[in-house]
Amino acid sequence: DQQVKQNSPSLSVQEGRISILNCDYTNSMFDYFLWYKKYPAEGPTFLISISSIKDKNEDGRFTVFLNKSAKHLSLHIVPSQPGDSAVYFCAATDGGATNKLIFGTGTLLAVQP
Amino acid sequence: GAVVSQHPSWVICKSGTSVKIECRSLDFQATTMFWYRQFPKQSLMLMATSNEGSKATYEQGVEKDKFLINHASLTLSTLTVTSAHPEDSSFYICSATPGPSYEQYFGPGTRLTVT
C-alpha cells in the first residue's frame, strides 16, 4: 500500500522555467510534509517542508503548496537551474512516537540548459 | 550544521560474512536514528527506527536477526548485516533527528555488494 505517491517518474524542463513536482497521499493522519533532493549514490538533502495547518511555504526559489482536501502537495522551483537536476522525493509523517517518514517513489527532474 | 556521516561509503563482501555500517551525527545529538534501504530507481524503504539505549523498532518484513541495529550513544548507530547474501546488495542510508523534529538529516549512504 503506497501511502505517498509521485505519479510522474520523470520531468524535463528548460532552464529558467518553472518546475512543478507533484505528490499525492492517502493517509489523512499525515500532518507534516517534506521534500528531499537526492543525487545518485548520495543521501537525500532536505529542501523544504510544510505543516498541515498551512497551505503554502516558500524558501527562495522553492515553494511547497498543500491542498489537504485533495490530499495533494506540489513543489515549485522557479527559476529552474541545471544544478536542480536530481531525484526529488516527497515524504510525509503523522508524527507518532517515532516521527518516521513515509517516502514517495521519487521524480527525476532534468533541467535542460 | 546537522551533518550525518556513514562509514564505509562502499563495501564488497563475500556471501556468508557479516558487514557493519556506522552512522554518526557529527554536530548534534540524535535521539532517534533511522535506517533505510534503497533499491535502484526505487523509493527509500524504512527498515528500522532506533533510539539511544533501547531496542530498535523494525518495520514489517525486515528480519531483525539479520539486520542488527545498535544505538549505543546519542551520536552513533550501527547496522550489521549478518550472514550476507547477494540479495542483501543494496544502498543503505541512515538518518538522524536532533530531538523532537520531523526533519531527518541523512548520511551519504553505503553501497553494499555481496558476491
Side-chain angles (χ1 to χ4, degrees), chain B residues 35-54:
Chain B
W35 286 95
Y36 295 83
R37 182 175 181 177
Q38 185 185 27
F39 292 103
K41 297 185 179 181
Q42 293 190 25
S43 185
L44 283 76
M45 183 192 79
L46 179 65
M47 299 175 65
T49 303
S50 73
N51 292 290
E52 184 264 340
S54 60

Side-chain angles (χ1 to χ4, degrees), chain B residues 1 18 20-21 31 35-36 44 55 73 88 90 97 105 109:
Chain B
S18 295
K20 180 184 284 188
I21 302 170
T31 54
W35 286 95
Y36 295 83
L44 283 76
K55 290 184 179 180
S73 74
D88 298 325
S90 190
T97 58
Y105 297 92

Side-chain angles (χ1 to χ4, degrees), chain B residues 13 16-21 47 65-68 79-85 88-89 92 112 114:
Chain B
C13 71
T17 62
S18 295
V19 175
K20 180 184 284 188
I21 302 170
M47 299 175 65
D65 293 331
K66 181 168 186 62
F67 298 99
L68 300 179
L79 167 67
T80 302
V81 183
T82 63
S83 187
H85 289 97
D88 298 325
S89 298
Y92 292 87
L112 170 63
V114 184

Side-chain angles (χ1 to χ4, degrees), chain A residues 98, chain B residues 31-35 46-60 62-65 67-72 77-80:
Chain A
T98 61
Chain B
T31 54
T32 305
M33 286 185 169
F34 303 84
W35 286 95
L46 179 65
M47 299 175 65
T49 303
S50 73
N51 292 290
E52 184 264 340
S54 60
K55 290 184 179 180
T57 302
Y58 290 81
E59 294 299 303
Q60 191 173 14
V62 178
E63 300 176 59
K64 60 181 181 181
D65 293 331
F67 298 99
L68 300 179
I69 292 172
N70 183 277
H71 195 155
S77 176
T78 60
L79 167 67
T80 302

Side-chain angles (χ1 to χ4, degrees), chain A residues 18-111:
Chain A
I18 184 172
S19 295
I20 300 176
L21 298 100
N22 295 303
C23 179
D24 297 293
Y25 61 96
T26 58
N27 190 340
S28 58
M29 298 301 292
F30 287 147
D31 61 2
Y32 199 80
F33 305 87
L34 307 90
W35 283 94
Y36 284 86
K37 176 181 179 179
K38 185 181 183 300
Y39 294 113
E42 293 185 11
T45 303
F46 170 74
L47 273 177
I48 191 169
S49 61
I50 188 167
S51 165
S52 61
I53 63 174
K54 295 184 176 181
D55 55 19
K56 177 183 175 180
N57 189 27
E58 190 173 354
D59 184 2
R61 296 187 298 117
F62 302 93
T63 303
V64 55
F65 295 92
L66 175 63
N67 182 334
K68 284 181 60 179
S69 61
K71 293 189 177 67
H72 176 84
L73 64 153
S74 61
L75 174 68
H76 292 211
I77 306 174
V78 180
S80 300
Q81 300 173 354
D84 295 329
S85 298
V87 176
Y88 288 78
F89 290 97
C90 67
T93 179
D94 62 2
T98 61
N99 290 345
K100 68 180 185 182
L101 298 179
I102 306 299
F103 280 83
T105 48
T107 296
L108 174 62
L109 172 65
V111 180

